[in-house]
Amino acid sequence: MASSTRVVIVAVAFTVIATFYSLSELHRMSAMHADAETTKFATHTGDNNRILRAGGQNSAISTSNSVGTGQVGSTASVGTTATTTAAASTAVSAATTTTASTTTMGSGAHKCYTYEHTELWGDVVVWGTLNKKKTAGECCDACLTYQPTGPDEPGCNVWVYCGDEVKCGSQHQQCWLKHLVHPEASKPARVGPQTPWTSGTIDVDINADPGTDTKKSVGAPRMFHTVTSAQGAAVHWQVRIHYYWWKKRKEECQKAGNCEMGGFTRLLHSGQSDDLMDELPTVVVDPLPQSMVEHSWYVVLNRPYAFVQWTQRVKIPEQYVLMSEPDHIYLRPMPNFMKGNAPAAFPFFYIEPSKAENVHITKKFTGEITQKQLEEIAPIGNSPTFMTFEDMKKVMPTWMNVSIAVFKDQEANSVWGWVQEMYGFTIALWLNGIKHVDLFLNMQAQPPWDQEMQMANGKPFYILHYTYGMDYKLSGEFTPGKFGEWRFDKRTYGSRPPPRHLGEPPKNMKNDLVRALINSINEASAALPCWDQYAETGKAVYDCEEMKTLTDPRFKKDGKAIA
C-alpha cells in the first residue's frame, strides 16, 4: 500500500478515537455501575446457552407465554497492517467493475466475484511474493483450492492479483490469498483507475444492491413494517423528522410502483403516552423494570425489552420488519434488502465479536465455540436490520436476556460500553441458529465520514444516520476531533429541538451528506406545524397561527397526521 494511504488511514483512526471520546467516559461509568450479582442471569459457559436462548426460571422473561468487519491485522497486498474504519474509503470516487464466474470444486459449486481496479483488505494466508500466477482466473482458482494448515486456521475467501505489467512493476503476477471476516462489511483499501490490482471474493458479492435487483421487480413486493424504538427528549424531535421523511419516501415509493414499504410503528418504551400519539402511529410499552437490574444511566437496555413486548402484543400484515432508529433520515424509497428469509443489515466496523481481544468475552455468552463459529456472528446491531417477524418473536427474548447478562458482567460492560446491547443482539441471532446475515454497506451512510450520496462502487445510500459530530472551519476545512467554526451535533439539542432554518454548512465544505442532512432537517421543520413554538418549549403543539394556512397534505387542519 502507498505510504500516503497509510497516513490517511492512521489519521482517520485517530479522528475516530477522538469522536468516540465521550463514549469512552460512558464505558468507564458502565464498569462502575455494573451489578456483580449473577444469580438471575448466566454469564459463563456450560448450560448458559440454553438459559440465555430459551429463557427459563432464571431468565428475565420466559417465552412459554408468548402470544404473539473490522479486522486485526488486515492487510493490503504488500502486507501492511491496518484497521478498517468507517472512513477508510471516503476519498475514493471511482466505480469498480464486477464480473462473476463459477468454478466447480468436487461436488459443490463456488462463485468467484471479480473486481477490477480494486485492492481488498484481508489477513494474508499466502504471500503474493511467493505465489505468482499468469491470470486473475488462476489466482481465483488458487484461493478456491487453498487448504488451511489446521482446523482452526483461516481459509481463503479473498484474493488480490496484479496483472498489469507496466503499472505493477515488480509486483506483476503476484497473487495474494487472504482471509477476511465478512468481506462485504469492509470497504476496499483502494479503488479507482490508478489501482493496478484486481481483487476477488468467494461466494459473496461486495457490490450486491437489492435496490437495483431486476429479479425483485418481477415477483410480488415483499412488504416490510418499519418499527422505530424511541424514548426521551433527545429523540423526541428526531423521530418527528424521521417519520416525516419515512412518509415522503413511501409516497415516492408507491408512485414508482412495486413498493415494499408497508406500515410504520414508533415503539415508545417509556411506559407512558406523550404529545406525539396523534402524529405518529405509536405502540407504548414498559421500560425494563429497575427492580430487575438498575440501569438508569443506560436507557438503551429498555430497547430489547420493548421489542419483546411488541412482538408478543401485536399482529402486523407484513411478513418482514425493518428495525430503525429516530436519527435515521431516508434518502430514497427503501427496498426490502432481504434476499430470502435470512436477515439483512448494515455492518458496523466496531462490532467485532471474533476479534482476538473480544473472543474470551464473546464466549461468556455463546459457550466454547470455534473461531469459524465466532466469525459467523455478524458485525451488526439491531438497527438498521431487516428480518422476518417470526424470527423476531424467537430472537427478542434472547436479545433481552443476553443484553442484561452483558450489562451485569463487569468486563463485557466495560469493554463493549455504549454498544453492548448491539453485541447482545447479534449474539442472540447466533444463539437462535441464525448463522448468516446478508450485509450491505450502502444500506446506511454515516457523515461526516461518508461524504457522497453513493459509495465508490456507485451503489446509492438509503439511510442517513447522523450519530457523529460534524465540524468544519468557515473555509470548509474538515476539523475532526475538535469543535469547528461551523458545527452540527444532535447532542446539542438533547433537551430542546433545533430551530427552523439551521444555518447552511460553509460554502466550500465538500461533504454532500452533511449538506443533505441540514437540508432534510430544515425541510421537515418547515413543514411540520408550529415548529417555532415546539423549538421553544419542547412540547408539540397544533394550535398556532400557521395551522390556519397549513398546506402540507400529510396533516389535517387540527395538526394530526393522516395515517
Side-chain angles (χ1 to χ4, degrees), residues 69 182 184-185 323 343-353 376-387 399 419-430 434 436-440 443:
T69 339
H182 309 294
E184 69 276 36
M323 304 171 77
F346 172 82
F348 292 90
F349 72 93
Y350 48 81
I351 303 297
E352 302 175 295
E376 292 173 341
I377 303 175
I380 65 171
N382 78 289
S383 173
T385 295
F386 287 88
M387 60 191 306
W399 177 26
V419 297
Q420 59 187 271
E421 55 86 32
M422 296 173 68
Y423 274 95
F425 177 79
T426 191
I427 290 172
L429 285 179
W430 191 89
I434 300 175
H436 176 78
V437 177
D438 288 312
L439 305 174
F440 299 94
M443 187 184 292

Side-chain angles (χ1 to χ4, degrees), residues 4 18 34 36 40 61 80 159 172 181 188 206-207 237 254 289 300 313 333 417 451 457 512 515 535-536 544:
S4 59
K40 290 185 178 179
I61 187 168
T80 306
W159 54 269
H172 182 230
V181 182
I206 65 173
N207 283 345
W237 63 269
Q254 290 175 322
V300 184
R313 292 180 185 178
Q451 298 182 28
N457 55 16
D512 294 341
R515 202 171 301 280
E536 291 178 3
C544 61

Side-chain angles (χ1 to χ4, degrees), residues 51-326:
I51 296 173
L52 292 173
R53 180 172 63 253
Q57 69 181 73
N58 291 333
S59 65
I61 187 168
S62 173
T63 60
S64 60
N65 63 349
S66 173
V67 294
T69 339
Q71 295 293 301
V72 177
S74 292
T75 58
S77 295
V78 293
T80 306
T81 299
T83 300
T84 305
T85 71
S89 66
T90 54
V92 177
S93 60
T96 60
T97 301
T98 306
T99 58
S101 58
T102 302
T103 302
T104 302
M105 285 181 57
S107 59
H110 292 268
K111 186 172 288 187
C112 185
Y113 292 91
T114 304
Y115 317 94
E116 298 176 356
H117 306 297
T118 302
E119 182 181 5
L120 297 181
W121 299 105
D123 296 325
V124 175
V125 296
V126 174
W127 289 71
T129 52
L130 306 174
N131 185 44
K132 292 197 172 186
K133 302 295 179 183
K134 293 181 180 179
T135 65
E138 289 185 9
C139 190
C140 170
D141 289 338
C143 185
L144 286 166
T145 57
Y146 174 77
Q147 296 295 321
T149 55
D152 294 328
E153 294 299 314
C156 177
N157 64 347
V158 171
W159 54 269
V160 181
Y161 178 76
C162 207
D164 190 315
E165 185 173 2
V166 176
K167 293 182 179 179
C168 295
S170 61
Q171 295 176 315
H172 182 230
Q173 293 188 336
Q174 287 186 6
C175 172
W176 294 76
L177 305 186
K178 303 181 181 184
H179 178 78
L180 181 60
V181 182
H182 309 294
E184 69 276 36
S186 298
K187 295 179 181 178
R190 286 190 290 173
V191 181
Q194 300 307 311
T195 303
W197 299 93
T198 294
S199 294
T201 52
I202 306 301
D203 294 337
V204 174
D205 182 6
I206 65 173
N207 283 345
D209 180 11
T212 58
D213 189 345
T214 56
K215 294 180 182 178
K216 293 184 66 174
S217 62
V218 177
R222 306 176 76 208
M223 305 298 292
F224 64 88
H225 191 97
T226 301
V227 56
T228 298
S229 57
Q231 178 183 346
V235 301
H236 192 276
W237 63 269
Q238 294 174 28
V239 78
R240 295 187 77 188
I241 292 173
H242 168 79
Y243 185 55
Y244 170 89
W245 283 104
W246 180 89
K247 287 194 296 181
K248 184 169 183 176
R249 298 310 183 199
K250 182 176 179 180
E251 289 175 0
E252 296 172 2
C253 183
Q254 290 175 322
K255 288 179 181 178
N258 212 52
C259 182
E260 297 178 307
M261 297 177 72
F264 179 95
T265 295
R266 176 182 62 143
L267 183 57
L268 181 60
H269 44 75
S270 63
Q272 299 178 346
S273 301
D274 65 2
D275 52 353
L276 297 180
M277 300 298 293
D278 290 326
E279 185 177 326
L280 290 82
T282 300
V283 171
V284 180
V285 294
D286 295 325
L288 184 71
Q290 294 289 336
S291 59
M292 186 177 295
V293 56
E294 201 290 313
H295 65 287
S296 56
W297 68 273
Y298 188 60
V299 296
V300 184
L301 206 57
N302 292 331
R303 184 181 294 154
Y305 183 48
F307 276 96
V308 171
Q309 296 172 81
W310 185 71
T311 54
Q312 291 183 349
R313 292 180 185 178
V314 306
K315 291 184 179 180
I316 58 174
E318 301 90 354
Q319 182 180 349
Y320 308 97
V321 175
L322 167 63
M323 304 171 77
S324 191
E325 293 185 12

Side-chain angles (χ1 to χ4, degrees), residues 470-484:
M470 306 167 198
D471 294 276
Y472 294 86
K473 291 183 179 180
L474 294 181
S475 63
E477 179 185 346
F478 183 36
T479 60
K482 76 177 197 178
F483 279 49

